[in-house]
Amino acid sequence: MGNLFSNPTAPLEDRLNDLMTALTLEEMITLLSTSQSAIPRLGMEAYAIGGEAAHGIVDRKGGQTTVYPQPIGLSNTWNKALLHKVGSAIGDEARIFYYQQDHKTGLTLWAPTIDMERDPRWGRTEEAYGEDPYLTGQLSTELIKGMQGADPFYLKMVAAPKHFYGNNNEYGRGSISNSIDPRNRHEYYLKAFEPAFVEAKALSMMTAYNGVNGIPAMQLKEIEEVVRDTWQMDGFIVSDGGALSLNVEEYGYYDSLAKALADAFKKGIDCFVDDKQTVEDAAKEALANDWISAKDIRKAVSRILKVRFRLGHFDADPSKNPYAKLEKETMCSPERSRLALKVTEEALVLLKNDNKILPLDEEKLQKIAVIGPTATEVFRDWYTGYPPYAVSPLKAITSRCFRQAVTYTSGHDRIALKALDKQQYLAISEDGIVHADAKSITESAQFIQENWGWNANLLKSVSTNKYLTLPELANVLQTNKEEVFDWFVREKIGFYPNDEKASTYHLTSWKEEPLAVLDDQTISSGIKADTFEKVVIQSGIEQAVEQAKQSDVAIVCVGNHPMVNGRETEDRPGISLPEHQQQLIQAVYHANPKTIVVVIGSYPFALNWEQDHIPAILYSAHGSQELGTAISNVLFGDTSPSGKLSMTWYKNTDMLPDIFDYDIIKGKRTYMYADENILYPFGHGLHYGDIVYQNLEIDQSEIVENSKIKLKIKLINKGERTIKEVAQVYATIVDSQVKRPKKKLVAFEKVKLNPGESQTVSFPVMADQLQVYVVAEEAFCLEQGRCIFSVGSSSEAIYVTADPIPVIGRQLTERSLTKRTMAENYDDYERVIIDKGEHEQNCITNQSDGWICFKQVNFEVINQLQCRVTTDGGSGEMHFHLDRLDNDPVATAVIETGFPYQWLDQQVNIETSKGKHDIYLSFKGPISLLTVQLMKGEE
């Protein structure tokens, strides 16, 4: 054979073919999981695919890496060039980490998260880039380009955008399917992923846990048809962690791992993030049963190895690889710290600034009260690495304001808990175990109660400064955790009032099991619920009020704990701040109206009272090692805030559909379709300048297919400070035959403006950005109509609007059903979902007296409508109405099958006047409809 595959000067395909020829089938099978085996006889070392890089490299063993803001914070920068730099820095540290790990892992990482955030209650909101596919696509593209590097052959690292696709709920994610119709699918969910592959050339991808339209994401046809065939992705695709097992154990899609693996192979999965032995055993069983072939395995392995070649894994001489020479000293270097500070500053969003209370002038302040539970912490989420240092807001403010008196209180209550049956207090013994054996409230019987909302409390011992936890094996309450950070958060304790005065409680564990005192006086979970009296020794709110009264300004830092409420596996019940934090803010404000609220959180909050009363509100995501420095720099005016919201912040959830409803058009989700209940609009963010928008110019008088439109706008900074402004261009299509977005982001640029400076900014917009997905043709098309371009500083703060420009496109005035038409290509619907139909095609399934409508359909006088239909074994009815749903049916069909899900062709005759009619198909019973076809009937 020779050693061609290790020769870096040979063509890639020749090297790949050489290696694949050398590998045996048994050896290939050992390369199907993320734990890729060594092949000693070929000189191939073991390598582990995977790892995290959401906002910096994550070394689970505790190795230090630079930590940037959470992705929701990165998205708030709206700065494409800056995201490229962050991506490049992450790629550099991935290379160094790879060398630190002796070349065994670190270059094939699962990031960025490109899931569309159409619902702010999603537990993983912190991980993605907002609610808009264009913004997400632009920012993630630059991040990926930076990560993978600019060399024409070698890759710095490999980015794996995730989670493909329709992944925006945590509860039930491993067992449920999300119904996503064609317009939502193509215009929204898929559109966000497209640039990652078409423009950034990402060479890996991770599928989601959830199903889409009845099929688990790891077995979706879109993996091959869209990602590989349409977008020409030339890398390897992995399932999500444990998804192969969940496919059988939770989703129940297949009854064996081998069948699940075989189907995933056929649909385009190359590598499985499951236990190595499990994957290999399933592959062997699938082979033995002829569910897959050696050719299938060879194809998957070759895709993986082709990418590994470009990482330099098999080079005998690494000198040609430009990334083999990275200096290890650049890990966590001062340059990286400066980048972390810059991106954190640009991620901060000034939500409100009445009377220009910000920036603060420390020379005019003598006493500053810093208050709140997030002021002393730089919390880590599950995808945060270990930074070399972390600057909290309090630390930064105290360091800066060394001439002022800076006071601090968390706002948490200091409490004691008395077991009423024992008439003794819970206290920490010398071995750290909690016993109900204290006769008085000593220091060991005192706890700080951190109330993070929705009855999720953490208790920290005053005497040990460690959190109470309920370990899996011991199952007795003890204090041994300095940080709340685990996949299972065993520190959560629920307080359920036992009386109207809320002084006695039943307590629950992190599993919602009742806590009780055992015979040995330890505390454990079980079926018995003991009663505990809570004694408030010191009120955190009262202490905060006293500090606020005595200060010139109060800075209240609130938000969420990223490991407690709203995280992976756990959606938020609502979007409000914890009630205790709301009470804290209100009490501090009433004590000192010069109150600044700093929200440090993983997601949007409903800050209604705060917006009405608090003079200034600043928002930051968690995560960055320079969090406090950036907040301090913005509060005191070293830099002007320039972040813009990448999500709509709603006043409440009253008008949000159910979190499992994925139709943003009908559900009026996101800035594109929501028309009320908005607290802060998409794109909102203030600065310390006075910006003027002037002279919008557009170089086209009409828009035609494949054309490029160039817009120009003049920005003037009339303020006295240097600012960065994000100019945002929105398009509105009027005269459309279908519901279109109220506004749609089509371009944006972040511009630095010195005091008094003016600058003309250019924006290219492509005509295809204005297309609509036409369900009747299953394709995008430029629709005839008019386009209105508007430019401003947010989706609502529009300063210049152009006159409508004609769009020379297709007229969508009618549709034909004379060809077999998929039922999912309806024009309107109610109470149906899209599900898996015959031959894994999408069908619609009735939920509760649902209906679908095809609009402006051409009819003959006498027509026969043929429907491909089934039921779950029960009886159902279809009614056919013309022009209005409340018109009497012109035909009815009773659907009965010989056995569950037997697909049948059902014909009905429809008589009407020749011409265009809307046709409604309404359903009763357990009906699923695959296709409809209209044929000329016989008299």
Side-chain angles (χ1 to χ4, degrees):
M1 177 198 77
N3 208 19
L4 178 61
F5 78 83
S6 63
N7 180 1
T9 64
L12 173 59
E13 290 300 327
D14 292 348
R15 297 176 68 190
L16 179 61
N17 289 337
D18 185 54
L19 179 54
M20 291 302 299
T21 301
L23 288 168
T24 66
L25 180 58
E26 186 70 26
E27 288 168 339
M28 289 185 208
I29 289 173
T30 71
L31 301 175
L32 294 177
S33 78
T34 49
S35 298
Q36 304 222 297
S37 293
I39 314 292
R41 70 181 186 84
L42 298 176
M44 288 177 61
E45 297 180 354
Y47 179 75
I49 290 172
E52 305 299 343
H55 51 116
I57 302 301
V58 179
D59 181 356
R60 295 293 185 197
K61 297 177 181 177
Q64 293 181 349
T65 57
T66 306
V67 176
Y68 304 94
Q70 292 173 318
I72 192 66
L74 295 177
S75 71
N76 288 340
T77 68
W78 288 59
N79 190 327
K80 291 170 277 190
L82 189 57
L83 266 287
H84 188 101
K85 290 179 181 178
V86 171
S88 182
I90 289 172
D92 288 348
E93 294 201 352
R95 269 283 158 185
I96 297 167
F97 176 64
Y98 168 68
Y99 300 137
Q100 290 174 343
Q101 301 300 310
D102 197 24
H103 300 190
K104 288 181 168 51
T105 191
L107 293 183
T108 43
L109 302 178
W110 299 323
T113 297
I114 303 182
D115 300 314
M116 282 287 84
E117 301 191 296
R118 38 101 232 182
D119 196 304
R121 293 168 293 193
W122 184 38
R124 300 179 76 172
T125 294
E126 64 201 18
E127 292 184 45
Y129 288 77
E131 68 182 29
D132 182 73
Y134 179 75
L135 177 66
T136 294
Q138 292 292 298
L139 296 179
S140 59
T141 290
E142 292 305 316
L143 189 83
I144 293 166
K145 286 179 178 178
M147 285 175 157
Q148 296 194 157
D151 188 86
F153 177 79
Y154 284 102
L155 300 162
K156 191 186 296 187
M157 59 160 279
V158 174
K162 61 182 184 179
H163 309 86
F164 189 84
Y165 69 99
N167 173 208
N168 193 221
N169 61 275
E170 290 305 289
Y171 291 124
R173 65 180 186 173
S175 59
I176 67 170
S177 170
N178 299 321
S179 176
I180 303 177
D181 68 19
R183 277 198 66 197
N184 281 278
R185 189 155 68 239
H186 291 280
E187 293 180 16
Y188 191 63
Y189 296 102
L190 294 178
K191 189 61 73 174
F193 278 90
E194 183 176 0
F197 303 102
V198 175
E199 297 176 33
K201 307 298 181 185
L203 286 173
S204 189
M205 186 184 82
M206 175 180 276
T207 55
Y209 286 118
N210 56 274
V212 175
N213 301 335
I215 299 175
M218 66 185 291
Q219 286 137 340
L220 288 171
K221 62 184 179 182
E222 287 91 340
I223 297 171
E224 286 288 342
E225 292 180 2
V226 176
V227 181
R228 285 213 169 92
D229 295 345
T230 303
W231 297 342
Q232 295 293 293
M233 188 265 206
D234 189 30
F236 69 94
I237 295 173
V238 304
S239 58
D240 206 340
L244 177 62
S245 300
L246 293 173
N247 193 278
V248 176
E249 296 167 4
E250 284 199 24
Y251 205 106
Y253 193 70
Y254 281 103
D255 59 7
S256 82
L257 295 172
K259 291 177 183 177
L261 176 139
D263 190 24
F265 260 138
K266 300 290 187 183
K267 300 297 171 45
I269 297 294
D270 305 303
C271 183
F272 296 88
V273 190
D274 263 86
D275 172 73
K276 179 177 177 61
Q277 194 62 52
T278 298
V279 172
E280 293 173 14
D281 288 347
K284 291 172 184 176
E285 182 182 342
L287 269 172
N289 285 280
D290 292 328
W291 297 329
I292 59 173
S293 66
K295 183 179 178 181
D296 294 322
I297 292 177
R298 181 182 176 86
K299 180 166 65 173
V301 171
S302 68
R303 285 169 173 165
I304 300 168
L305 295 182
K306 185 176 183 180
V307 173
R308 289 186 59 187
F309 269 110
R310 294 186 61 188
L311 288 167
H313 280 185
F314 310 120
D315 289 1
D317 175 11
S319 64
K320 291 188 176 297
N321 184 348
Y323 307 120
K325 304 162 189 170
L326 282 172
E327 296 293 332
K328 295 183 180 180
E329 291 72 22
T330 59
M331 179 77 89
C332 300
S333 67
E335 181 185 356
R336 299 280 182 266
S337 294
R338 288 191 292 271
L339 178 60
L341 176 58
K342 180 177 176 60
V343 72
T344 310
E345 287 175 342
E346 293 206 20
L348 297 180
V349 183
L350 184 59
L351 298 173
K352 182 182 179 184
N353 192 24
D354 274 4
N355 302 317
K356 297 185 177 179
I357 189 174
L358 292 178
L360 298 171
D361 184 350
E362 66 246 56
E363 298 303 321
K364 295 180 180 180
L365 302 174
Q366 294 182 333
K367 197 167 185 179
I368 302 168
V370 180
I371 296 164
T374 61
T376 57
E377 304 289 342
V378 179
F379 288 117
R380 293 192 302 135
D381 62 72
W382 189 248
Y383 296 98
T384 304
Y386 293 84
Y389 62 88
V391 183
S392 70
L394 177 63
K395 184 176 180 180
I397 293 169
T398 303
S399 175
R400 177 194 191 94
C401 301
F402 59 90
R403 294 186 182 90
Q404 290 76 28
V406 180
T407 61
Y408 170 72
T409 183
S410 68
H412 296 311
D413 291 339
R414 181 184 295 217
I415 68 169
L417 291 170
K418 188 176 188 179
L420 291 185
D421 284 354
K422 303 290 184 182
Q423 285 296 302
Q424 296 189 105
Y425 294 95
L426 274 57
I428 309 299
S429 60
E430 291 184 1
D431 59 2
I433 305 296
V434 179
H435 291 84
D437 62 357
K439 293 181 170 55
S440 61
I441 304 177
T442 61
E443 185 182 58
S444 65
Q446 296 181 35
F447 305 94
I448 302 299
Q449 182 186 5
E450 299 182 12
N451 184 335
W452 293 103
W454 296 293
N455 211 2
N457 299 270
L458 305 176
L459 295 180
K460 181 183 277 188
S461 166
V462 172
S463 61
T464 67
N465 202 35
K466 294 180 180 180
Y467 288 97
L468 269 61
T469 187
L470 198 66
E472 182 177 12
L473 297 178
N475 199 35
V476 293
L477 209 58
Q478 53 193 273
T479 173
N480 62 12
K481 292 293 292 295
E482 294 182 359
E483 179 187 19
V484 176
F485 185 84
D486 271 308
W487 184 254
F488 297 111
V489 180
R490 302 174 186 275
E491 292 73 46
K492 286 200 288 188
I493 295 178
F495 280 66
Y496 290 90
N498 215 23
D499 58 22
E500 292 183 2
K501 296 180 180 179
S503 59
T504 62
Y505 298 84
H506 288 145
L507 305 182
T508 59
S509 72
W510 67 285
K511 285 186 173 181
E512 290 290 315
E513 297 170 337
L515 295 179
V517 181
L518 304 182
D519 292 340
D520 62 359
Q521 296 183 315
T522 59
I523 316 300
S524 186
S525 61
I527 58 173
K528 178 187 174 186
D530 278 355
T531 301
F532 299 86
E533 179 184 1
K534 184 173 83 169
V535 179
V536 178
I537 302 164
Q538 184 178 60
S539 164
I541 291 177
E542 290 178 4
Q543 191 176 18
V545 165
E546 287 306 309
Q547 290 189 9
K549 285 179 179 178
Q550 299 167 23
S551 300
D552 299 311
V553 65
I555 301 170
V556 184
C557 299
V558 294
N560 73 296
H561 190 308
M563 297 304 297
V564 176
N565 278 326
R567 50 163 299 193
E568 186 166 4
T569 73
E570 185 178 339
D571 295 313
R572 281 194 295 170
I575 60 173
S576 62
L577 284 170
E579 186 177 353
H580 186 80
Q581 292 185 19
Q582 296 178 52
Q583 295 168 355
L584 174 67
I585 293 168
Q586 293 173 24
V588 169
Y589 171 76
H590 290 307
N592 185 344
K594 194 172 182 180
T595 293
I596 315 297
V597 168
V598 178
V599 180
I600 304 172
S602 305
Y603 27 63
F605 294 92
L607 306 174
N608 300 301
W609 189 94
E610 293 76 13
Q611 174 62 22
D612 289 342
H613 296 85
I614 300 299
I617 307 172
L618 184 68
Y619 168 67
S620 173
H622 288 290
S624 171
Q625 63 193 45
E626 289 284 1
L627 174 70
T629 310
I631 288 172
S632 175
N633 288 351
V634 166
L635 289 177
F636 291 97
D638 291 351
T639 186
S640 174
S642 64
K644 302 284 186 177
L645 296 178
S646 61
M647 295 181 69
T648 302
W649 286 37
Y650 299 99
K651 293 179 180 178
N652 50 53
T653 59
D654 294 353
M655 301 185 71
L656 284 178
D658 189 274
I659 195 171
F660 302 109
D661 183 342
Y662 274 68
D663 187 341
I664 69 163
I665 302 172
K666 212 170 173 64
K668 294 185 176 182
R669 291 185 187 269
T670 81
Y671 77 96
M672 291 186 281
Y673 296 100
D675 49 19
E676 52 187 330
N677 203 38
I678 295 170
L679 179 64
Y680 302 119
F682 173 81
H684 172 70
L686 308 176
H687 46 64
Y688 295 154
D690 183 9
I691 195 85
V692 174
Y693 285 68
Q694 288 182 349
N695 305 333
L696 176 60
E697 297 178 9
I698 303 174
D699 73 343
Q700 302 290 329
S701 59
E702 62 182 23
I703 299 170
V704 298
E705 193 77 47
N706 299 320
S707 63
K708 180 178 180 180
I709 308 101
K710 188 175 182 180
L711 294 84
K712 291 183 179 179
I713 189 86
K714 185 177 183 179
L715 303 183
I716 308 170
N717 179 11
K718 292 195 171 182
E720 299 177 354
R721 293 176 178 271
T722 298
I723 63 168
K724 290 180 181 176
E725 169 70 325
V726 180
Q728 304 165 37
V729 181
Y730 294 89
T732 301
I733 302 296
V734 294
D735 305 326
S736 176
Q737 294 301 305
V738 297
K739 187 174 181 180
R740 302 289 288 270
K742 295 188 310 167
K743 295 186 186 78
K744 178 183 176 183
L745 182 71
V746 292
F748 64 93
E749 289 295 336
K750 195 163 197 174
V751 183
K752 182 179 179 181
L753 293 166
N754 294 317
E757 182 183 359
S758 66
Q759 195 174 139
T760 299
V761 186
S762 297
F763 306 91
V765 178
M766 302 304 296
D768 64 9
Q769 292 178 254
L770 309 177
Q771 291 180 332
V772 63
Y773 187 82
V774 182
V775 293
E777 299 171 11
E778 297 185 341
F780 279 98
C781 126
L782 189 67
E783 182 187 11
Q784 183 166 311
R786 292 176 297 156
C787 176
I788 300 173
F789 289 109
S790 54
V791 186
S793 60
S794 82
S795 58
E796 296 296 329
I798 298 299
Y799 299 121
V800 184
T801 301
D803 293 332
I805 301 174
V807 179
I808 311 303
R810 295 265 310 286
Q811 281 191 316
L812 306 177
T813 56
E814 61 185 42
R815 71 179 298 178
S816 170
L817 298 182
T818 56
K819 293 182 179 179
R820 181 176 174 269
T821 300
M822 302 302 295
E824 68 164 350
N825 288 327
Y826 48 64
D827 291 303
D828 199 2
Y829 75 97
E830 284 287 352
R831 298 179 300 280
V832 300
I833 63 168
I834 300 179
D835 208 346
K836 185 181 81 168
E838 189 177 26
H839 306 309
E840 296 191 349
Q841 299 175 93
N842 291 343
C843 68
I844 65 100
T845 296
N846 180 40
Q847 293 293 282
S848 176
D849 294 343
W851 55 265
I852 62 172
C853 174
F854 299 95
K855 294 184 177 180
Q856 295 294 287
V857 177
N858 279 314
F859 276 81
E860 299 291 333
V861 174
I862 300 176
N863 312 266
Q864 185 180 81
L865 188 67
Q866 180 168 289
C867 302
R868 188 71 172 166
V869 66
T870 191
T871 76
D872 66 0
S875 179
E877 291 183 6
M878 295 176 61
H879 300 275
F880 304 85
H881 316 255
L882 291 180
D883 299 321
R884 291 171 57 95
L885 181 64
D886 55 5
N887 284 344
D888 290 337
V890 294
T892 296
V894 176
I895 311 300
E896 293 181 341
T897 59
F899 52 85
Y901 305 111
Q902 177 191 19
W903 287 94
L904 307 171
D905 288 321
Q906 178 74 48
Q907 291 88 20
V908 294
N909 292 318
I910 296 175
E911 293 189 24
T912 185
S913 59
K914 185 175 181 178
K916 289 183 286 190
H917 297 275
D918 296 346
I919 180 168
Y920 291 83
L921 285 67
S922 64
F923 310 102
K924 290 187 179 298
I927 289 179
S928 293
L929 177 66
L930 184 72
T931 61
V932 296
Q933 186 173 6
L934 193 63
M935 296 171 283
K936 187 174 181 179
E938 297 181 2
E939 295 187 18

